[in-house]
Amino acid sequence: SQQGEEDPQALSIQEGENATMNCSYKTSINNLQWYRQNSGRGLVHLILIRSNEREKHSGKLRVTLDTSKKSSSLLITASRAADTASYFCATDASYSGAGSYQLTFGKGTKLSVIP
Amino acid sequence: DVKVTQSSRYLVKRTGEKVFLECVQDMDHENMFWYRQDPGLGLRLIYFSYDVKMKEKGDIPEGYSVSREKKERFSLILESASTNQTSMYLCASRHTGTSGGYTFGSGTRLTVV
């Protein structure tokens, strides 16, 4: 079953506004990652936050992680039209020990930034 | 940088054919994964492997099998392709350690006619 669930499913904003996407998950994780995908293109890794971290910044991205609530948020500040894409959260978790891991994705948030 | 290479970018196969999708990584990673991506459904895990000859079923293994004879290569096999297996297939490799990130291949868009 899918671990991460993004909210909202779709988001439409004007250029210059901030975009916030949320992700909830169900089990213990090693880290949580956000990816971006332009239509018809491959996945681009944006940022990784470890389970012992609460907030992380990368350029105009800000990610928070609340392990007590099993939730994360991705903030894109001052959005541009070029930020239009689908954004996915994914959780990395151990699978039955022995060095085995599993990365589980949500269904994504489709962001449209209107010029 | 880690490189994950999927052998084909686009494939067209006929119903009933046996299809092999190949994935190779160049960093001696132990964990490798196969996903399929469909509109509105996100990425769904088909199979994964954490060592040579080891494999685990993901969320949607039906109609698929995998092979990992060497550490760097993880193959996805469609035993008898069907039209509902038309999809984008993505391979990934996990960086070593508990805080590892992932590197994805560029994907294979498979069409079964």
Side-chain angles (χ1 to χ4, degrees):
Chain A
S1 60
Q2 283 173 298
Q3 164 88 299
E5 294 291 338
E6 291 93 340
D7 170 51
Q9 291 184 327
L11 179 61
S12 185
I13 59 173
Q14 297 289 131
E15 245 185 352
E17 293 181 341
N18 295 341
T20 299
M21 288 159 265
N22 302 297
C23 171
S24 60
Y25 59 93
K26 295 173 186 172
T27 63
S28 296
I29 62 172
N30 295 315
N31 63 65
L32 185 142
Q33 301 167 39
W34 286 91
Y35 290 82
R36 165 194 168 127
Q37 187 178 41
N38 288 68
S39 181
R41 306 295 291 273
L43 280 170
V44 175
H45 179 264
L46 294 176
I47 195 165
L48 180 155
I49 185 165
R50 296 185 176 88
S51 59
N52 60 355
E53 296 175 314
R54 292 296 165 258
E55 187 171 316
K56 201 163 182 179
H57 297 253
S58 177
K60 61 181 198 173
L61 303 179
R62 174 178 166 251
V63 170
T64 63
L65 178 65
D66 186 336
T67 52
S68 66
K69 293 182 180 176
K70 292 186 168 57
S71 66
S72 173
S73 67
L74 172 68
L75 169 68
I76 304 172
T77 58
S79 298
R80 309 288 299 273
D83 294 322
T84 293
S86 291
Y87 292 82
F88 297 90
C89 73
T91 53
D92 173 62
S94 299
Y95 178 87
S96 71
S100 174
Y101 296 89
Q102 193 172 13
L103 184 71
T104 310
F105 283 81
K107 295 181 182 179
T109 292
K110 197 164 186 177
L111 174 66
S112 298
V113 182
I114 303 162
Chain B
D1 276 355
V2 178
K3 204 168 178 184
V4 176
T5 304
Q6 293 183 232
S7 53
S8 303
R9 188 77 177 96
Y10 297 95
L11 271 180
V12 180
K13 296 291 182 181
R14 295 194 180 279
T15 301
E17 274 193 81
K18 190 168 186 176
V19 182
F20 293 85
L21 302 183
E22 305 288 345
C23 176
V24 178
Q25 50 95 1
D26 64 358
M27 282 298 289
D28 203 36
H29 290 166
E30 292 170 347
N31 289 265
M32 296 185 73
F33 306 80
W34 274 106
Y35 295 87
R36 66 176 281 177
Q37 184 177 23
D38 302 286
L41 297 177
L43 279 83
R44 294 179 292 167
L45 182 63
I46 305 171
Y47 267 97
F48 59 107
S49 167
Y50 55 92
D51 202 350
V52 174
K53 296 193 188 294
M54 304 301 287
K55 59 186 179 185
E56 293 286 349
K57 293 179 180 178
D59 297 320
I60 50 163
E62 296 77 20
Y64 303 95
S65 63
V66 290
S67 171
R68 192 150 181 216
E69 297 296 320
K70 293 185 178 180
K71 199 171 189 178
E72 66 270 20
R73 185 180 296 270
F74 190 35
S75 303
L76 180 69
I77 304 158
L78 286 66
E79 297 290 342
S80 177
S82 64
T83 54
N84 63 13
Q85 292 178 310
T86 291
S87 186
M88 170 68 87
Y89 290 88
L90 290 158
C91 175
S93 165
R94 186 186 187 277
H95 304 200
T96 304
T98 57
S99 58
Y102 289 70
T103 298
F104 280 80
S106 53
T108 296
R109 185 163 293 280
L110 173 68
T111 302
V112 182
V113 297

Coordinates of all heavy atoms in Angstrom, one line a residue, chain B residues 17-21 34-38 41 44-48 55-67 74-90 108 110-112:
Chain B
E17 N 3.9 -11.6 -25.5 CA 5.4 -11.6 -25.6 C 6.0 -11.6 -24.2 O 5.4 -11.1 -23.3 CB 5.9 -10.4 -26.4 CG 6.0 -10.6 -27.9 CD 6.8 -9.5 -28.5 OE1 8.0 -9.6 -28.5 OE2 6.2 -8.5 -29.0
K18 N 7.2 -12.2 -24.1 CA 8.0 -12.2 -22.9 C 8.9 -10.9 -23.1 O 9.6 -10.8 -24.1 CB 8.8 -13.4 -22.7 CG 9.5 -13.5 -21.4 CD 10.0 -14.9 -21.1 CE 10.5 -15.1 -19.7 NZ 11.0 -16.5 -19.4
V19 N 8.8 -10.1 -22.1 CA 9.5 -8.8 -22.1 C 10.6 -8.7 -21.0 O 10.3 -9.0 -19.9 CB 8.6 -7.6 -22.1 CG1 9.3 -6.3 -22.2 CG2 7.5 -7.7 -23.1
F20 N 11.7 -8.2 -21.4 CA 12.8 -8.0 -20.4 C 13.1 -6.5 -20.3 O 13.5 -5.9 -21.3 CB 14.1 -8.8 -20.8 CG 13.9 -10.3 -20.7 CD1 13.4 -11.0 -21.8 CD2 14.3 -11.0 -19.6 CE1 13.3 -12.4 -21.7 CE2 14.2 -12.4 -19.5 CZ 13.6 -13.1 -20.6
L21 N 13.1 -6.0 -19.1 CA 13.5 -4.6 -18.9 C 14.8 -4.7 -18.1 O 14.8 -5.3 -17.0 CB 12.4 -3.8 -18.2 CG 11.1 -3.7 -19.0 CD1 10.2 -2.8 -18.2 CD2 11.2 -3.2 -20.4
W34 N 12.1 -1.8 -8.7 CA 11.3 -1.6 -10.0 C 10.0 -1.0 -9.6 O 9.3 -1.6 -8.7 CB 11.1 -2.8 -10.8 CG 12.3 -3.1 -11.7 CD1 13.2 -4.1 -11.6 CD2 12.6 -2.5 -12.9 NE1 14.1 -4.1 -12.6 CE2 13.7 -3.1 -13.5 CE3 12.0 -1.4 -13.6 CZ2 14.3 -2.7 -14.7 CZ3 12.5 -1.0 -14.9 CH2 13.7 -1.6 -15.4
Y35 N 9.6 0.1 -10.3 CA 8.3 0.8 -10.1 C 7.6 0.9 -11.4 O 8.3 0.9 -12.5 CB 8.5 2.2 -9.6 CG 9.1 2.3 -8.2 CD1 10.5 2.4 -8.0 CD2 8.3 2.4 -7.1 CE1 11.0 2.5 -6.7 CE2 8.8 2.5 -5.8 CZ 10.2 2.6 -5.6 OH 10.7 2.7 -4.4
R36 N 6.3 1.0 -11.4 CA 5.6 1.5 -12.6 C 4.8 2.7 -12.2 O 4.4 2.9 -11.0 CB 4.7 0.4 -13.2 CG 3.5 0.0 -12.3 CD 2.6 -1.0 -13.1 NE 1.7 -0.4 -14.0 CZ 0.9 -1.0 -14.9 NH1 0.9 -2.4 -14.9 NH2 0.1 -0.3 -15.7
Q37 N 4.7 3.6 -13.2 CA 4.0 4.9 -12.9 C 2.9 5.0 -13.9 O 3.1 5.0 -15.1 CB 5.0 6.0 -13.0 CG 4.3 7.4 -12.7 CD 5.3 8.5 -12.7 OE1 6.3 8.5 -13.4 NE2 4.9 9.6 -12.0
D38 N 1.7 5.3 -13.4 CA 0.5 5.5 -14.2 C -0.2 6.8 -13.7 O -0.1 7.1 -12.5 CB -0.4 4.3 -14.0 CG 0.2 3.0 -14.5 OD1 0.4 2.8 -15.7 OD2 0.6 2.2 -13.6
L41 N -2.0 7.5 -10.3 CA -1.7 6.4 -9.3 C -0.3 6.6 -8.7 O 0.1 5.8 -7.8 CB -1.8 5.1 -10.0 CG -3.2 4.7 -10.5 CD1 -3.2 3.3 -11.2 CD2 -4.2 4.6 -9.4
R44 N 4.2 2.9 -8.1 CA 3.9 1.7 -7.3 C 5.0 0.7 -7.5 O 5.5 0.5 -8.5 CB 2.6 1.1 -7.8 CG 1.4 2.0 -7.6 CD 0.1 1.4 -8.1 NE 0.1 1.4 -9.5 CZ -0.8 0.7 -10.3 NH1 -1.7 -0.1 -9.6 NH2 -0.8 0.7 -11.6
L45 N 5.4 0.2 -6.3 CA 6.5 -0.7 -6.2 C 6.1 -2.1 -6.7 O 5.2 -2.7 -6.2 CB 7.0 -0.8 -4.8 CG 8.3 -1.6 -4.5 CD1 9.5 -1.1 -5.3 CD2 8.5 -1.7 -3.0
I46 N 6.9 -2.6 -7.7 CA 6.6 -3.9 -8.3 C 7.4 -5.0 -7.5 O 6.9 -6.0 -7.0 CB 6.9 -4.0 -9.8 CG1 6.2 -2.9 -10.5 CG2 6.5 -5.3 -10.3 CD1 6.7 -2.7 -12.0
Y47 N 8.7 -4.9 -7.5 CA 9.6 -5.8 -6.9 C 10.9 -5.0 -6.4 O 11.2 -4.0 -7.0 CB 10.1 -6.9 -7.8 CG 9.4 -8.2 -7.9 CD1 8.4 -8.4 -8.8 CD2 9.6 -9.2 -6.9 CE1 7.7 -9.6 -8.8 CE2 8.9 -10.4 -6.9 CZ 7.9 -10.6 -7.9 OH 7.2 -11.7 -7.9
F48 N 11.5 -5.5 -5.4 CA 12.8 -5.0 -5.0 C 13.7 -6.1 -4.6 O 13.3 -7.2 -4.3 CB 12.7 -3.9 -3.9 CG 12.0 -4.3 -2.7 CD1 12.7 -4.5 -1.5 CD2 10.6 -4.5 -2.6 CE1 12.1 -4.8 -0.3 CE2 10.0 -4.9 -1.4 CZ 10.8 -5.0 -0.2
K55 N 15.1 -11.3 -3.7 CA 14.0 -10.5 -4.2 C 12.8 -10.5 -3.3 O 12.6 -11.5 -2.5 CB 13.6 -11.0 -5.6 CG 13.1 -12.4 -5.6 CD 12.8 -12.9 -7.0 CE 12.3 -14.4 -7.0 NZ 12.1 -14.9 -8.3
E56 N 12.1 -9.4 -3.3 CA 10.9 -9.3 -2.5 C 9.8 -8.7 -3.3 O 10.1 -7.8 -4.1 CB 11.2 -8.3 -1.3 CG 12.2 -8.9 -0.3 CD 11.6 -10.0 0.6 OE1 10.3 -10.2 0.5 OE2 12.4 -10.7 1.3
K57 N 8.6 -9.1 -3.1 CA 7.5 -8.6 -3.8 C 7.1 -7.2 -3.2 O 7.2 -7.0 -2.0 CB 6.2 -9.5 -3.7 CG 6.4 -10.8 -4.4 CD 5.2 -11.7 -4.2 CE 5.4 -13.0 -4.9 NZ 4.2 -13.9 -4.7
G58 N 6.8 -6.3 -4.1 CA 6.2 -5.0 -3.7 C 4.7 -5.0 -3.7 O 4.1 -6.1 -3.3
D59 N 4.1 -3.9 -4.0 CA 2.7 -3.8 -3.9 C 1.9 -4.5 -5.1 O 0.8 -4.9 -4.9 CB 2.3 -2.3 -3.8 CG 2.8 -1.7 -2.6 OD1 2.8 -2.4 -1.5 OD2 3.3 -0.5 -2.7
I60 N 2.5 -4.5 -6.2 CA 1.8 -5.0 -7.4 C 2.7 -6.0 -8.2 O 3.0 -5.8 -9.4 CB 1.4 -3.9 -8.4 CG1 2.5 -2.9 -8.6 CG2 0.2 -3.1 -7.7 CD1 2.3 -2.0 -9.8
P61 N 3.1 -7.2 -7.7 CA 4.0 -8.1 -8.4 C 3.3 -9.0 -9.4 O 4.0 -9.6 -10.2 CB 4.5 -8.9 -7.2 CG 3.4 -9.0 -6.2 CD 2.7 -7.6 -6.3
E62 N 2.0 -9.0 -9.4 CA 1.3 -10.0 -10.3 C 1.6 -9.7 -11.8 O 1.5 -8.5 -12.2 CB -0.2 -9.9 -10.1 CG -0.7 -10.3 -8.7 CD -0.4 -9.2 -7.6 OE1 -0.3 -8.0 -8.0 OE2 -0.4 -9.5 -6.5
G63 N 2.0 -10.7 -12.5 CA 2.3 -10.6 -13.9 C 3.8 -10.3 -14.2 O 4.2 -10.2 -15.3
Y64 N 4.6 -10.1 -13.1 CA 6.0 -9.7 -13.2 C 6.8 -10.7 -12.5 O 6.4 -11.4 -11.5 CB 6.2 -8.4 -12.6 CG 5.4 -7.3 -13.2 CD1 4.2 -6.8 -12.6 CD2 5.8 -6.6 -14.4 CE1 3.5 -5.8 -13.2 CE2 5.1 -5.5 -14.9 CZ 3.9 -5.2 -14.3 OH 3.1 -4.1 -14.8
S65 N 8.1 -10.8 -12.9 CA 9.1 -11.5 -12.1 C 10.4 -10.7 -12.3 O 10.4 -9.8 -13.1 CB 9.3 -13.0 -12.6 OG 9.8 -13.0 -13.9
V66 N 11.4 -11.0 -11.5 CA 12.7 -10.3 -11.5 C 13.8 -11.3 -11.5 O 13.7 -12.4 -11.1 CB 12.8 -9.3 -10.4 CG1 11.9 -8.1 -10.6 CG2 12.6 -9.9 -9.0
S67 N 15.0 -10.7 -11.8 CA 16.2 -11.5 -11.8 C 17.3 -10.6 -11.3 O 17.5 -9.5 -11.8 CB 16.5 -12.1 -13.2 OG 17.8 -12.7 -13.2
F74 N 19.6 -5.5 -12.4 CA 18.3 -5.9 -11.8 C 17.3 -5.9 -13.0 O 17.0 -4.9 -13.6 CB 17.9 -5.0 -10.7 CG 16.7 -5.5 -9.9 CD1 16.5 -6.8 -9.6 CD2 15.8 -4.5 -9.4 CE1 15.4 -7.2 -8.9 CE2 14.7 -5.0 -8.6 CZ 14.5 -6.3 -8.3
S75 N 16.8 -7.1 -13.4 CA 16.0 -7.2 -14.5 C 14.5 -7.4 -14.1 O 14.2 -8.2 -13.2 CB 16.4 -8.4 -15.4 OG 17.8 -8.2 -15.8
L76 N 13.6 -6.8 -14.8 CA 12.2 -7.0 -14.7 C 11.7 -7.7 -15.9 O 12.0 -7.4 -17.0 CB 11.5 -5.6 -14.6 CG 10.0 -5.7 -14.4 CD1 9.6 -6.2 -13.0 CD2 9.3 -4.3 -14.6
I77 N 10.9 -8.8 -15.6 CA 10.4 -9.7 -16.6 C 8.9 -9.7 -16.6 O 8.3 -9.9 -15.6 CB 11.0 -11.1 -16.4 CG1 12.5 -11.1 -16.4 CG2 10.5 -12.0 -17.6 CD1 13.1 -12.3 -15.7
L78 N 8.3 -9.4 -17.8 CA 6.9 -9.6 -18.0 C 6.8 -10.9 -18.7 O 7.1 -11.1 -19.9 CB 6.3 -8.5 -18.9 CG 6.2 -7.1 -18.2 CD1 7.5 -6.4 -17.9 CD2 5.3 -6.2 -19.1
E79 N 6.2 -11.9 -18.0 CA 6.2 -13.3 -18.5 C 5.4 -13.4 -19.8 O 5.7 -14.1 -20.7 CB 5.7 -14.2 -17.4 CG 6.6 -14.3 -16.2 CD 7.9 -15.0 -16.5 OE1 8.0 -15.7 -17.5 OE2 8.9 -14.8 -15.7
S80 N 4.2 -12.7 -19.8 CA 3.3 -12.7 -20.9 C 2.7 -11.4 -21.0 O 1.7 -11.2 -20.3 CB 2.3 -13.9 -20.8 OG 1.4 -13.8 -21.9
A81 N 3.2 -10.5 -21.8 CA 2.8 -9.1 -21.7 C 1.3 -8.9 -22.0 O 0.8 -9.6 -22.9 CB 3.6 -8.2 -22.7
S82 N 0.7 -8.0 -21.3 CA -0.8 -7.7 -21.5 C -0.9 -6.2 -21.7 O -0.1 -5.5 -21.2 CB -1.6 -8.3 -20.4 OG -1.3 -7.6 -19.2
T83 N -2.0 -5.8 -22.3 CA -2.2 -4.4 -22.5 C -2.3 -3.6 -21.2 O -1.9 -2.4 -21.2 CB -3.5 -4.2 -23.3 OG1 -4.6 -4.8 -22.7 CG2 -3.4 -4.8 -24.7
N84 N -2.7 -4.2 -20.1 CA -2.8 -3.4 -18.9 C -1.4 -3.2 -18.2 O -1.3 -2.6 -17.1 CB -3.8 -4.0 -17.9 CG -3.4 -5.4 -17.4 OD1 -2.3 -5.9 -17.7 ND2 -4.3 -6.1 -16.8
Q85 N -0.4 -3.8 -18.9 CA 1.0 -3.5 -18.4 C 1.7 -2.4 -19.2 O 2.8 -2.1 -19.0 CB 1.8 -4.8 -18.5 CG 1.4 -5.8 -17.5 CD 2.1 -7.1 -17.6 OE1 2.3 -7.7 -18.7 NE2 2.6 -7.6 -16.5
T86 N 0.9 -1.8 -20.1 CA 1.4 -0.5 -20.7 C 1.6 0.5 -19.7 O 0.6 0.9 -18.9 CB 0.4 -0.1 -21.8 OG1 0.3 -1.0 -22.9 CG2 0.7 1.3 -22.3
S87 N 2.8 1.1 -19.5 CA 3.1 2.0 -18.4 C 4.5 2.5 -18.6 O 5.3 2.1 -19.5 CB 3.0 1.2 -17.1 OG 3.1 2.1 -16.0
M88 N 4.8 3.4 -17.7 CA 6.2 3.9 -17.6 C 6.9 3.0 -16.4 O 6.3 3.0 -15.3 CB 6.3 5.4 -17.2 CG 7.7 5.9 -16.8 SD 8.8 5.9 -18.2 CE 8.5 7.5 -18.9
Y89 N 8.0 2.4 -16.7 CA 8.7 1.6 -15.7 C 10.0 2.3 -15.3 O 10.8 2.8 -16.1 CB 9.0 0.3 -16.3 CG 7.8 -0.6 -16.5 CD1 7.0 -0.5 -17.6 CD2 7.3 -1.4 -15.4 CE1 5.8 -1.2 -17.8 CE2 6.1 -2.1 -15.6 CZ 5.4 -2.0 -16.8 OH 4.2 -2.8 -16.9
L90 N 10.2 2.5 -14.0 CA 11.3 3.2 -13.4 C 12.1 2.2 -12.5 O 11.5 1.6 -11.7 CB 10.9 4.4 -12.6 CG 10.3 5.5 -13.5 CD1 9.4 6.4 -12.6 CD2 11.4 6.4 -14.1
T108 N 11.5 3.6 -18.8 CA 11.2 2.9 -20.0 C 9.7 3.0 -20.2 O 8.9 2.5 -19.4 CB 11.6 1.4 -20.0 OG1 13.0 1.3 -19.9 CG2 11.1 0.7 -21.3
L110 N 6.8 1.5 -21.9 CA 6.4 0.3 -22.5 C 5.0 0.4 -23.0 O 4.1 0.7 -22.2 CB 6.5 -0.9 -21.6 CG 6.0 -2.2 -22.1 CD1 6.9 -2.7 -23.3 CD2 6.0 -3.3 -21.0
T111 N 4.8 0.1 -24.3 CA 3.4 0.0 -24.8 C 3.2 -1.5 -25.3 O 4.0 -2.0 -26.1 CB 3.3 0.9 -26.0 OG1 3.5 2.3 -25.6 CG2 1.8 0.9 -26.6
V112 N 2.1 -2.1 -24.8 CA 1.8 -3.4 -25.2 C 0.6 -3.3 -26.1 O -0.5 -2.8 -25.7 CB 1.5 -4.3 -24.0 CG1 1.2 -5.8 -24.5 CG2 2.7 -4.3 -23.1

